[in-house]
Amino acid sequence: MTSLHNRHIKPLILAGLDGKNWHLQDYVARGGYQSLKRILDEKIPPEQVIAELKASSLRGRGGAGFPTGLKWSFMPRQYPGQKYLVCNTDEGEPGTFKDRDIIRYNPHALIEGMAIGAYAMGITVGYNYIHGEIFADYDRFEEAIEEARAAGMLGDKIHGSEFSFQLHAFHGYGAYICGEETALLESLEGKKGQPRFKPPFPASFGLYGKPTTINNTETFAAVPFVLAMGGEKYAALGKPNNGGTKIFSMSGDVAKPGNYEVPMGTPFATLLELAGGMRDGKKIKAVIPGGSSMPVLTGEVMMATDMDYDSIAKAGSMLGSGAVIVMDETRCMVKSLLRLSYFYFEESCGQCTPCREGTGWLYRMVHRIEHGQGRPDDLDMLNSIADNIQGRTICALGDAAAMPVRAFIKNFREEFEYHIEHKHCLVPTYM
Ligand code: L3W
Ligand code: SF4
């Protein structure tokens, strides 16, 4: 296993937080709001801020890894009407629990990042859409907004400049699909949270049909650090094309589950070591490296892989939102897939037929395999249903339901076949 001392593992967003030092004065004592103040004091041109973001190779931390600087450059500078900035804190992906920790422990990093984004894109109004099942952290974020307003870091004429930015918290409705960016915008408009067709992308047709930039919580929270250290230095913390640090939500059969912020490109073995290794000394069997929507990989493959967008893609999965679900040798892969399939079946918004019907088929078929009623051709049928969902739906939830099915069968086929043939589990212990 790689030694922890071989690499710099100093976190940025989650550095030195204890649950009490989240207030504005604590953030300022840590150097907070310096990036925003410097931009305003020195009247740094917005184009230069975006250039720093591009140089940092910061990529979207919500799942798709889209380059942040490029996304910000889509926003038209001269636009006659209102433009909006939106933060996606609608964290609902199974295994993901990093964004709520950001608003709980370091809400001002997010506020400062959003204010810098608003300045760079010439936006005066922003919303943070917070998952409807998060209550205490929502209240904390509201408090942090009030603190920032009182200190002149939000509102009219920020820090005595000509720049004004009104930021509001919005409590969502708790549906997973509201985390899809266009469903989120619909929900923010007060409508049923159902995804829109893309294109047009929110950059041109967003909230109330106006140009809108929407980024994940962690993406915005990284922005003050990019500006503080400079884009190139931030990029150098990680790997080429995979700049900076990333928060990984470690869950499952690890000794110390939790959020760990490490440089992009940290070996998975190091991350596992940080999380205390495997619980009870058991053997690693499988890992979902980027949230439940992403293909599962074998433990063996993961132990030889680094945690960055490109390395995980090369290994056959996606970094997603950085939710790492670790499964040990006692986990039944059929039962694990059953849980995931039920989730997507339950959370499908029902707009498109392949997803609405297909997620139900997937769930029912995995259910019958798990319960000893599987048929010999079920695995081919599952793959065929997944094929007919993937790439044929309005939003990525269809893909998210299909990809795990294909990967579980591909990487753990013998367990599925054993279940079908023997009508019970191959592994000795059940979940
Ligand atoms: C303007 C273009 N904008 C792309 C923008 C687009 C979006 C971003 C990425 O899925 C993934 C999904 C989940 N002009 C543009 C453009 N954009 N081309 O860039 O877009 P896209 O379509 O690649 O991805 P997406 O639809 O945003 C996100 C996966 O994330 N996921 C879910 C995570 C859940 C959470 C959570 O609970 N917090 O994050 C997890 O892994 O399956 O693959 O902004 O508008 N030409
Ligand atoms: Fe709704 Fe599923 Fe279609 Fe997405 S893919 S719009 S969740 S039915």
Side-chain angles (χ1 to χ4, degrees):
M1 193 173 278
T2 315
S3 163
L4 291 183
H5 305 292
N6 285 349
R7 281 187 66 96
H8 152 102
I9 324 200
K10 198 164 165 269
L12 297 175
I13 300 170
L14 298 182
L17 304 176
D18 62 9
K20 297 192 191 89
N21 58 2
W22 62 270
H23 288 284
L24 184 129
Q25 74 269 18
D26 305 307
Y27 182 63
V28 169
R30 293 194 293 273
Y33 286 113
Q34 286 308 317
S35 295
L36 178 62
K37 285 180 186 167
R38 186 172 59 84
I39 288 168
L40 297 175
D41 286 342
E42 297 176 17
K43 296 188 171 53
I44 294 179
E47 299 75 19
Q48 198 176 318
V49 175
I50 293 179
E52 288 295 341
L53 263 293
K54 285 186 175 168
S56 74
S57 74
L58 175 67
R59 293 168 62 173
R61 304 302 198 218
F66 197 85
T68 307
L70 180 64
K71 186 183 270 195
W72 285 17
S73 67
F74 291 149
M75 178 57 77
R77 280 220 63 78
Q78 304 300 331
Y79 181 78
Q82 184 67 54
K83 305 186 283 189
Y84 295 102
L85 190 65
V86 176
C87 176
N88 185 346
T89 308
D90 191 54
E91 186 167 59
E93 175 90 346
T96 312
F97 46 85
K98 64 186 177 66
D99 296 336
R100 68 200 66 186
D101 267 11
I102 293 173
I103 59 171
R104 180 184 303 164
Y105 293 112
N106 208 1
H108 287 284
L110 170 58
I111 293 172
E112 186 182 3
M114 289 191 75
I116 293 171
Y119 171 85
M121 291 176 274
I123 298 172
T124 56
V125 178
Y127 296 93
N128 184 14
Y129 187 105
I130 298 174
H131 193 71
E133 290 158 319
I134 298 176
F135 296 99
D137 302 329
Y138 177 86
D139 292 343
R140 172 157 305 173
F141 189 71
E142 287 262 40
E143 265 189 75
I145 285 183
E146 284 310 320
E147 288 182 343
R149 271 197 203 116
M153 292 295 124
L154 280 179
D156 292 331
K157 299 193 180 298
I158 292 177
H159 190 50
S161 71
E162 288 308 304
F163 167 59
S164 299
F165 176 56
Q166 315 298 336
L167 177 60
H168 310 278
F170 183 94
H171 214 180
Y173 295 97
Y176 174 67
I177 198 58
C178 288
E180 195 283 335
E181 60 180 11
T182 58
L184 184 153
L185 296 175
E186 289 283 297
S187 175
L188 197 48
E189 290 177 8
K191 301 182 206 147
K192 188 173 175 182
Q194 286 190 317
R196 303 171 180 167
F197 281 105
K198 289 193 281 188
F201 291 95
S204 54
F205 188 90
L207 189 61
Y208 304 113
K210 304 293 182 189
T212 300
T213 296
I214 175 163
N215 284 124
N216 173 258
T217 317
E218 188 186 349
T219 314
F220 280 124
V223 168
F225 299 97
V226 172
L227 271 297
M229 67 175 68
E232 281 180 19
K233 209 166 160 203
Y234 181 86
L237 291 177
K239 275 176 145 181
N241 201 32
N242 294 267
T245 59
K246 171 87 191 84
I247 301 172
F248 291 101
S249 305
M250 295 290 286
S251 71
D253 298 319
V254 294
K256 291 193 294 172
N259 284 318
Y260 295 89
E261 184 182 359
V262 294
M264 277 286 189
T266 296
F268 169 75
T270 306
L271 191 57
L272 182 60
E273 197 183 342
L274 274 177
M278 295 301 292
R279 195 167 45 210
D280 301 330
K282 293 224 167 59
K283 266 174 66 182
I284 186 167
K285 178 180 192 172
V287 179
I288 303 177
S292 66
S293 311
M294 301 309 167
V296 64
L297 296 173
T298 63
E300 206 180 358
V301 166
M302 281 303 295
M303 291 303 279
T305 300
D306 293 344
M307 298 303 288
D308 60 83
Y309 296 102
D310 299 334
S311 302
I312 295 286
K314 210 165 145 204
S317 188
M318 287 162 78
L319 195 72
S321 52
V324 184
I325 304 170
V326 180
M327 291 177 262
D328 73 24
E329 57 195 320
T330 67
R331 297 295 166 192
C332 168
M333 293 295 106
V334 180
K335 192 161 186 176
S336 303
L337 180 60
L338 179 63
R339 290 197 175 177
L340 294 184
S341 302
Y342 182 72
F343 176 79
Y344 292 108
F345 166 53
E346 188 65 27
E347 296 294 336
S348 168
C349 85
Q351 260 191 116
C352 25
T353 309
C355 174
R356 184 187 61 242
E357 302 301 324
T359 51
W361 289 11
L362 292 175
Y363 166 63
R364 287 190 293 273
M365 287 188 67
V366 180
H367 187 273
R368 82 178 178 217
I369 296 173
E370 166 66 11
H371 290 86
Q373 291 158 344
R375 301 166 196 166
D377 60 353
D378 273 359
L379 300 186
D380 290 341
M381 181 102 77
L382 276 171
N383 272 324
S384 155
I385 296 167
D387 274 349
N388 279 296
I389 298 174
Q390 207 169 332
R392 294 164 201 264
T393 57
I394 294 173
C395 86
L397 190 142
D399 294 354
M403 284 194 297
V405 171
R406 294 154 67 111
F408 266 88
I409 294 175
K410 178 168 166 254
N411 289 323
F412 299 96
R413 193 174 181 99
E414 72 286 357
E415 274 197 42
F416 284 81
E417 287 173 345
Y418 189 95
H419 250 278
I420 291 171
E421 191 182 338
H422 298 275
K423 309 199 180 305
H424 63 86
C425 197
L426 172 68
V427 290
T429 327
Y430 285 92
M431 275 174 93

